[in-house]
Amino acid sequence: MTLPDGSQQAVPEGSRPLDVAKSISSRLADDAVVARVNGDFFDLTRPLEQDSTLEILTSRSPEALQVYRHSTAHLLAAAVLELYPETKLGIGPPTEAGFYYDFQRETPFTPEDLEAIEARMWKLQEKDLPYERKLTSKTDGLALYKDDWMKRELIEEKAGEIFTEYTLGPDFIDFCRGPHVPSTARIKAFKLLSVAGAYWKGNEHNARLQRIYGTAFFSKKELAAHLEKIEEAKKRDHRKLGQELDLFSIQELAGPGLIFFHPKGGTIRKIIEDWMRDQYVKRGYSLVYTPHVMRRELWKISGHAGYYSENMFAPMELDDAEYQLKPMNCPGHILIYRDKPHSYRDLPVRLGELGTVYRYERAGVLHGLLRVRGFTQDDAHIFCTPEQIEDEVVNCLEFAADVLKTFGFDAYEAELSTWDGGVSGKYDGTKELWELGESALKRAVERTKMTAVVTPDEAAFYGPKIDVKLVDAIGRKWQLSTVQFDFTLPRRFELEYVGEDGKKHQPLMVHRALYGSVERFFGILVEHYAGAFPVWLAPVQAIVLPITDRQIDYANKVEEQLAAKGIRVTVDDRKEKVNLKIREAQLQKIPYMLVVGDREVESGAVSVRNRKHGDQGVKSVHEFLGQLEQLIADKTPAE
Ligand SMILES: [Zn+2]
Ligand SMILES: [Zn+2]
């Protein structure tokens, strides 16, 4: 086995990994979670079936956390069966942030039920019940579980001649590949979080189940930190803030996954879009516009009508042909490129659009602004020669970094996805093209001094790509920008340019979107700033608050003065106490409140209050305006 110091030690047949760990140190045995035996995961208590290469995984390994969380899911299921014996079990996998278990039961689980289940889980935890592996033949299993339809389906689909089950205590048994932690006392920190509807196998035509979500960590401290983060995320939920701040809505009458930007959200969206269009022009892109509906024939040539049809809205029949709502902008840009002959001297051609696309997503996965059915991509396609490709990718990456910096994100991660070297045959394009593309991406990453994790065999089938994930104010990662090569579409559409040699060549094509989708990016901004947008983005930058009716005329004059300089400003002239007006402006997260009473009127001043720093003292309108204009010009992230 591999020892902590890296040295190897042979482990004979019949040994149990846990005993091997004990023979090394009791500390290792206590911290051991699961074993890896000849590359496969093994329960620590399962004897080795042959001489093996053994690795003990401790709480420091991410795979061990998955096993630990999945074991907690069994604990949950065992507790549910004790309390509600009529329940049928679905599946219970670990997730990125915890675990869930699907149950079929007539009565809905209530929040009080979750508390009772959690208490029962602790009881089972204290009993230190072992997770015991049991082998059953498929024939026996099907007979044994003839009344348990979900288990039967799983056995029919997944089991070999012999399959494994795991028991937990005398009454609990579940179909499972394993592995698990040795016993329940190993599970030290967990929490049930919520219950939601789910469908068997994620398909809405199947039976509806109840999914209980929970999370588990190796220590109580990590769990507490995670729960705090969940609370913080709830406060920042863009769906909640979108309503409270009157930014956007989804209208039942119009349909799910379709977004309505209200005036305040629209103001912010205009700034986001204007910034991007200005950047396109500055960086040598040409702005184009393409139709939302095009003949289905086009989507057949592009291939979308085949491999992408599940994600497309159904075609519509018109006089002359079937038409298709566009799920992507690429074919439109390709038609523009193809409209005239190109020489190598015209390249690179960079066509950019804020292009609205429609994609069919199942109703169950729609989520606020993050998963929608209609959205606008800041989409551009670059057509260039092989010699130009590296510089083009560098430009894209620098552009992406600028987007992040401008909108106030300091941290990000990049991921470079490559192919499998052509082994599986699932990737399109020649070896030469893949090597050219991948090495251009790698060199571009080096030149921009971005650090990128290389993920082999994760490329799109049509080419390698770089994805950029940003890290938000509370440490969450969000997939944002993508720069992707495409070897397929130039061939499908027979794109050409005339090279220096006078011969026809196929240009390289790069898809790139930096915001990703404007809707999604907007949602991320709402969560990152918790609705308190930087002054340059805030839909209302300042509000003038007269203390009594006597100052209304003066307040209107202040408003005019600021508005004349392009500041987004309003007056709250309601007959309300100024404290209430301040409180409401604060809740609306308006950056500056300008209180005006008799003294301010006399001296031509405003009493400035900032949403974050409170009272800023009395300033002349001129002085305040100067400071505000500076913050806006600098795009200061938070004030
Ligand atoms: Zn299991
Ligand atoms: Zn594209």
Side-chain angles (χ1 to χ4, degrees):
M1 73 166 284
T2 314
L3 294 175
D5 66 2
S7 64
Q8 298 279 323
Q9 184 184 306
V11 180
E13 182 188 332
S15 334
R16 298 187 328 150
L18 190 58
D19 296 330
V20 178
K22 275 182 192 154
S23 73
I24 294 165
S25 78
S26 62
R27 236 176 99 188
L28 178 63
D30 288 345
D31 198 25
V33 179
V34 68
R36 188 155 29 206
V37 177
N38 299 334
D40 291 331
F41 289 109
F42 249 61
D43 299 310
L44 289 173
T45 49
R46 178 174 161 193
L48 303 186
E49 283 134 26
Q50 55 192 328
D51 289 1
S52 306
T53 323
L54 169 66
E55 192 187 341
I56 304 279
L57 303 184
T58 66
S59 59
R60 278 182 297 279
S61 129
E63 290 108 325
L65 183 60
Q66 297 281 300
V67 169
Y68 179 86
R69 285 176 170 167
H70 170 67
S71 306
T72 317
H74 274 245
L75 188 60
L76 161 63
V80 166
L81 282 194
E82 280 198 15
L83 291 168
Y84 316 100
E86 74 280 12
T87 310
K88 296 252 179 294
L89 302 182
I91 56 163
T95 62
E96 205 175 312
F99 60 86
Y100 67 79
Y101 216 109
D102 285 345
F103 300 103
Q104 189 181 39
R105 177 176 175 244
E106 289 279 307
T107 328
F109 290 113
T110 63
E112 293 72 37
D113 292 343
L114 290 200
E115 278 176 34
I117 296 166
E118 199 176 292
R120 184 59 66 103
M121 287 168 74
W122 280 115
K123 274 202 178 138
L124 295 173
Q125 189 271 357
E126 280 163 22
K127 287 188 185 162
D128 197 14
L129 302 169
Y131 287 81
E132 272 177 306
R133 186 166 175 269
K134 193 170 166 274
L135 297 174
T136 309
S137 77
K138 189 168 182 171
T139 339
D140 288 353
L142 288 175
L144 197 61
Y145 298 115
K146 64 179 191 313
D147 298 328
D148 193 335
W149 66 273
M150 286 188 284
K151 210 168 271 189
R152 266 189 73 101
E153 260 191 64
L154 288 176
I155 294 169
E156 271 164 9
E157 284 166 20
K158 303 208 166 170
E161 276 307 292
I162 302 281
F163 65 92
T164 56
E165 294 182 283
Y166 279 83
T167 62
L168 197 56
D171 307 317
F172 179 83
I173 184 156
D174 198 14
F175 174 84
C176 185
R177 263 212 331 252
H180 304 90
V181 298
S183 68
T184 56
R186 294 284 186 136
I187 298 171
K188 303 278 195 233
F190 60 84
K191 176 94 193 138
L192 297 184
L193 297 171
S194 58
V195 56
Y199 294 99
W200 175 239
K201 293 179 183 161
N203 182 336
E204 57 223 48
H205 302 298
N206 287 345
R208 202 171 153 78
L209 308 172
Q210 299 188 66
R211 176 170 296 177
I212 298 183
Y213 286 96
T215 193
F217 287 87
F218 286 115
S219 72
K220 289 218 158 64
K221 202 173 143 198
E222 288 167 290
L223 175 66
H226 180 78
L227 295 178
E228 206 171 293
K229 209 163 133 180
I230 292 178
E231 279 312 305
E232 187 54 44
K234 270 189 202 156
K235 280 187 227 152
R236 290 166 181 263
D237 190 319
H238 70 278
R239 294 166 299 179
K240 174 175 160 278
L241 287 170
Q243 199 172 27
E244 286 170 10
L245 304 177
D246 197 13
L247 301 173
F248 73 93
S249 65
I250 295 164
Q251 299 287 330
E252 192 49 44
L253 186 58
L258 302 166
I259 308 301
F260 290 78
F261 277 77
H262 293 199
K264 285 181 183 160
T267 302
I268 300 172
R269 178 168 175 158
K270 177 181 182 298
I271 300 168
I272 295 174
E273 293 195 350
D274 286 352
W275 185 86
M276 187 53 81
R277 287 202 184 91
D278 288 349
Q279 291 293 319
Y280 276 176
V281 173
K282 276 185 195 152
R283 293 169 191 261
Y285 289 74
S286 307
L287 273 173
V288 297
Y289 297 84
T290 60
H292 288 218
V293 172
M294 291 174 260
R295 277 203 187 119
R296 190 165 166 82
E297 197 52 35
L298 173 71
W299 304 102
K300 285 185 185 158
I301 295 175
S302 71
H304 292 97
Y307 66 82
Y308 204 68
S309 60
E310 273 184 19
N311 294 89
M312 305 205 307
F313 278 54
M316 47 193 130
E317 195 79 47
L318 286 181
D319 323 337
D320 58 342
E322 277 188 327
Y323 282 72
Q324 181 68 56
L325 212 45
K326 72 170 164 182
M328 293 197 188
N329 299 302
C330 343
H333 295 180
I334 285 175
L335 292 187
I336 294 174
Y337 177 88
R338 216 173 65 152
D339 192 53
K340 65 167 192 184
H342 290 275
S343 131
Y344 69 96
R345 283 191 214 90
D346 312 331
L347 302 185
V349 168
R350 308 184 192 98
L351 302 178
E353 176 175 16
L354 290 168
T356 303
V357 296
Y358 294 89
R359 296 184 188 170
Y360 174 73
E361 297 268 14
R362 283 186 296 108
V365 302
L366 296 172
H367 182 93
L369 296 170
L370 304 180
R371 283 286 282 274
V372 294
R373 285 181 174 167
F375 58 96
T376 302
Q377 292 179 303
D378 63 311
D379 206 358
H381 295 88
I382 299 169
F383 304 89
C384 67
T385 68
E387 295 74 41
Q388 292 166 333
I389 194 68
E390 191 182 316
D391 284 346
E392 288 306 309
V393 177
V394 167
N395 291 343
C396 289
L397 294 181
E398 284 173 349
F399 194 172
D402 236 20
V403 169
L404 293 171
K405 203 174 108 217
T406 302
F407 287 91
F409 300 100
D410 305 323
Y412 58 87
E413 291 173 2
E415 214 167 75
L416 198 170
S417 304
T418 58
W419 74 332
D420 61 356
V423 183
S424 65
K426 66 181 170 183
Y427 293 102
D428 202 15
T430 62
K431 195 170 167 58
E432 290 71 42
L433 280 172
W434 278 89
E435 278 168 4
L436 174 80
E438 292 186 1
S439 67
L441 287 178
K442 278 180 191 152
R443 282 198 306 274
V445 164
E446 281 162 22
R447 272 173 61 188
T448 50
K449 304 207 163 48
M450 242 181 206
T451 37
V453 185
V454 178
T455 51
D457 200 11
E458 287 290 329
F461 80 88
Y462 50 77
K465 59 172 183 169
I466 292 180
D467 290 321
V468 179
K469 286 185 186 142
L470 66 79
V471 183
D472 78 1
I474 57 168
R476 293 173 300 176
K477 289 172 202 161
W478 305 81
Q479 162 65 38
L480 200 68
S481 310
T482 181
V483 179
Q484 306 191 350
F485 272 84
D486 192 332
F487 307 137
T488 304
L489 286 179
R491 194 188 65 235
R492 282 177 173 270
F493 283 95
E494 299 172 335
L495 301 186
E496 294 173 345
Y497 69 94
V498 177
E500 233 171 320
D501 56 5
K503 292 190 185 125
K504 283 179 175 168
H505 299 270
Q506 197 172 287
L508 290 173
M509 179 177 171
V510 174
H511 310 251
R512 39 111 300 176
L514 305 183
Y515 292 147
S517 113
V518 174
E519 284 77 1
R520 189 164 176 282
F521 184 65
F522 179 68
I524 296 170
L525 284 176
V526 174
E527 301 221 356
H528 177 62
Y529 288 112
F533 294 101
V535 183
W536 72 285
L537 287 172
V540 179
Q541 296 166 315
I543 185 164
V544 191
L545 309 176
I547 294 177
T548 68
D549 283 358
R550 282 201 303 281
Q551 297 95 27
I552 288 183
D553 283 347
Y554 177 72
N556 288 334
K557 270 186 211 134
V558 172
E559 182 194 23
E560 266 171 46
Q561 257 177 294
L562 297 180
K565 294 287 182 182
I567 305 298
R568 295 186 289 276
V569 56
T570 60
V571 176
D572 184 349
D573 56 8
R574 293 174 303 161
K575 283 184 188 306
E576 298 286 354
K577 292 238 160 52
V578 77
N579 280 341
L580 177 110
K581 293 181 184 178
I582 290 175
R583 206 157 51 238
E584 287 182 5
Q586 190 77 35
L587 284 174
Q588 284 298 304
K589 312 201 184 218
I590 297 170
Y592 287 96
M593 291 149 257
L594 310 175
V595 180
V596 293
D598 287 340
R599 261 189 307 170
E600 283 77 15
V601 175
E602 270 165 40
S603 56
V606 287
S607 181
V608 180
R609 248 190 106 78
N610 174 269
R611 66 183 168 195
K612 191 166 137 196
H613 306 292
D615 188 13
Q616 308 278 286
V618 176
K619 289 176 186 173
S620 75
V621 175
H622 179 74
E623 186 191 358
F624 169 72
L625 184 59
Q627 288 170 354
L628 191 62
E629 285 182 316
Q630 194 60 50
L631 289 174
I632 294 168
D634 294 345
K635 299 190 169 55
T636 307
E639 273 307 318

